[in-house]
Amino acid sequence: MSVFDKIGKRKVCTVSAPQTAAGEPFHMLAGYSPLSACSSELYRMMREAIPLIDAAIYKLVRLTGGFTVKAKNGKNQSGLDEFVQSVSVGAAGNGLQRFIDTYFEQLLTYGAAAGEMVLDGEAGIGSLYNVPINNIRVKRDPKCFNRILLCRPDSPDGTPVKYQELTVYSALDPEAGSITGNSVLKGLPFVSSILLKIYNSIGQNWDRAGNLRFAVTYNPGSDMLDRAYAKERATQIAREWSSAMESGSIKDFVAVGDVQIKVIGADSQILDSEIPVRQMLEQIVAKLGLPPFMLGLSWSTTERMSSQQADALTTELTAYRRILTPVIEKICSMYLRLNGNSGGVQVIWDEIMLQDSVEEAKAELYLAQAKALNGAGGEKND
């Protein structure tokens, strides 16, 4: 049974909680098969372990920009604007933009994202719910090859949720014949593991070399008395040295006899990590598609190169918008239909501003001056 009988006719529905929410605490033991649990956990850990990746994901979300939704039927615009601005999202969020930001973040991280429109008691959209990617299963509709069905997390037999029209699902760059997408982080686990090994070794080396440790060696002389009391003198030297090092103030250490003091590891050279770290970061930045300067990397670049990188990023963001636009259209169209309004919607994205505004203004000025000169030249020829 559909949520509504036909366009323009409302029907009261009792759905008031997300259909895709997790069930019993140990429902995985009943045969739950997540979308891609191992990969999802791996990508989440990569974002936590490497701040550069986490920062790049959030920057891509913000650079994608905002949007406005226009109703093709003008009389529906005021209600649609209120819905877009104030619809409840999750536990403490509001606005369709908040839902899309979280949705896009999941899409980049895991290669797939899902959401649900939760109805209120009057059969209207009461809130939007971002579905945790490990809490769903997806499969093709046996009756329609092009339709993707979302299944409950505690449904071992793969039973789809009842109201599929209330769900949205997107896959990022799916492979041929696949209904699940690929994370933007795909291909980076190996590179990230090498980078983490370098960082861990740097930390261990500085833990050893940064916190100086000393080797105190006492060599007894040839005198029989020195050899007889060598153990006692070594114990006394160790005790006095420890007392001098553990005190909060600087103390002199005085010893009699052949005593040598050396810093442990002072003769060893710590490997230069700048080149290998940069090589790994170059691979990560190339995969994420962001110019290095946007991530705080002061690599040498030219003004022309940065302009080309900004143009390439604009193309990337436009491609991401093409994936998100159908999601926004479906949610807003469903809102209108549930409220008995007909007509579609149009998503208008904000202009992507990555270029220097001053340079763009100069370019427009030069074009206007060129047109004016060409016009003046044409009048003189006449």
Side-chain angles (χ1 to χ4, degrees):
M1 180 183 298
S2 176
V3 177
F4 45 85
D5 293 333
K6 60 182 179 179
I7 297 177
K9 183 178 179 180
R10 298 178 59 184
K11 180 179 180 180
V12 177
C13 179
T14 58
V15 178
S16 59
Q19 307 169 85
T20 48
E24 296 297 326
F26 302 103
H27 63 275
M28 289 190 295
L29 300 178
Y32 164 57
S33 177
L35 184 66
S36 51
C38 296
S39 298
S40 300
E41 183 65 17
L42 173 63
Y43 294 144
R44 187 194 65 78
M45 293 180 63
M46 286 173 57
R47 289 186 57 177
E48 183 177 353
I50 303 178
L52 183 76
I53 295 178
D54 193 53
I57 295 291
Y58 282 118
K59 285 185 181 296
L60 284 173
V61 171
R62 290 174 173 82
L63 287 173
T64 303
F67 57 87
T68 56
V69 184
K70 297 295 183 182
K72 295 183 179 179
N73 189 344
K75 66 180 183 180
N76 302 327
Q77 188 62 47
S78 60
L80 182 60
D81 290 340
E82 183 180 357
F83 168 77
V84 171
Q85 294 294 329
S86 61
V87 61
S88 176
V89 178
N94 292 98
L96 183 56
Q97 181 72 61
R98 175 69 176 271
F99 172 82
I100 291 298
D101 287 347
T102 305
Y103 190 90
F104 185 35
E105 180 189 347
Q106 283 188 317
L107 187 66
L108 291 173
T109 305
Y110 308 117
E116 184 179 347
M117 294 165 271
V118 183
L119 302 184
D120 55 20
E122 298 179 356
I125 299 179
S127 63
L128 299 176
Y129 174 66
N130 291 103
V131 183
I133 200 63
N134 287 339
N135 286 0
I136 60 168
R137 300 170 60 191
V138 293
K139 67 177 183 179
R140 292 189 185 274
D141 189 346
K143 298 180 181 180
C144 180
F145 182 79
N146 294 328
R147 189 185 183 197
I148 306 299
L149 300 178
L150 268 65
C151 305
R152 290 181 56 85
D154 53 356
S155 175
D157 56 348
T159 303
V161 298
K162 187 175 181 180
Y163 300 106
Q164 290 291 325
E165 58 267 39
L166 294 178
T167 63
V168 289
Y169 173 77
S170 300
L172 179 64
D173 299 330
E175 298 178 358
S178 175
I179 60 176
T180 57
N182 294 304
S183 169
V184 73
L185 306 181
K186 182 180 180 181
L188 293 182
F190 174 72
V191 174
S192 300
S193 65
I194 296 177
L195 185 62
L196 290 177
K197 289 179 182 178
I198 297 175
Y199 286 157
N200 287 332
S201 64
I202 292 175
Q204 292 175 356
N205 288 335
W206 276 99
D207 187 43
R208 296 190 181 103
N211 186 10
L212 298 181
R213 292 171 171 82
F214 298 88
V216 182
T217 305
Y218 168 62
N219 297 313
S222 58
D223 185 77
M224 294 295 296
L225 186 61
D226 290 341
R227 293 183 178 182
Y229 291 95
K231 182 177 180 180
E232 289 77 2
R233 290 181 178 179
T235 302
Q236 184 181 12
I237 291 173
R239 183 172 59 252
E240 294 299 327
W241 178 261
S242 297
S243 175
M245 296 302 296
E246 291 177 357
S247 64
S249 58
I250 298 176
K251 289 185 177 181
D252 294 329
F253 176 74
V254 180
V256 179
D258 186 4
V259 179
Q260 297 180 357
I261 302 174
K262 293 182 179 180
V263 177
I264 298 176
D267 298 334
S268 301
Q269 182 179 1
I270 299 177
L271 296 176
D272 184 12
S273 61
E274 182 177 358
I275 295 178
V277 166
R278 173 164 176 169
Q279 290 177 342
M280 297 302 104
L281 291 179
E282 285 176 347
Q283 300 296 320
I284 295 176
V285 171
K287 190 68 171 64
L288 295 174
L290 282 173
F293 64 86
M294 285 191 175
L295 297 172
L297 300 174
S298 57
W299 296 342
S300 61
T301 181
T302 62
E303 182 179 356
R304 180 66 178 170
M305 183 184 299
S306 62
S307 177
Q308 293 174 344
Q309 290 174 340
D311 291 339
L313 178 58
T314 302
T315 305
E316 292 282 341
L317 298 177
T318 303
Y320 290 139
R321 287 179 170 184
R322 288 197 295 266
I323 301 176
L324 299 175
T325 297
V327 177
I328 301 172
E329 291 177 343
K330 181 176 181 179
I331 294 174
C332 293
S333 297
M334 180 62 69
Y335 165 78
L336 294 177
R337 296 167 70 184
L338 288 175
N339 285 273
N341 299 322
S342 60
V345 298
Q346 179 185 7
V347 180
I348 303 175
W349 289 90
D350 297 341
E351 184 179 357
I352 299 175
M353 298 295 293
L354 298 178
Q355 301 292 348
D356 189 350
S357 299
V358 175
E359 296 299 328
E360 290 183 353
K362 287 182 179 179
E364 293 178 359
L365 175 61
Y366 296 155
L367 289 175
Q369 291 175 347
K371 290 180 180 179
L373 291 174
N374 291 334
E379 292 178 359
K380 290 180 180 180
N381 294 331
D382 293 340

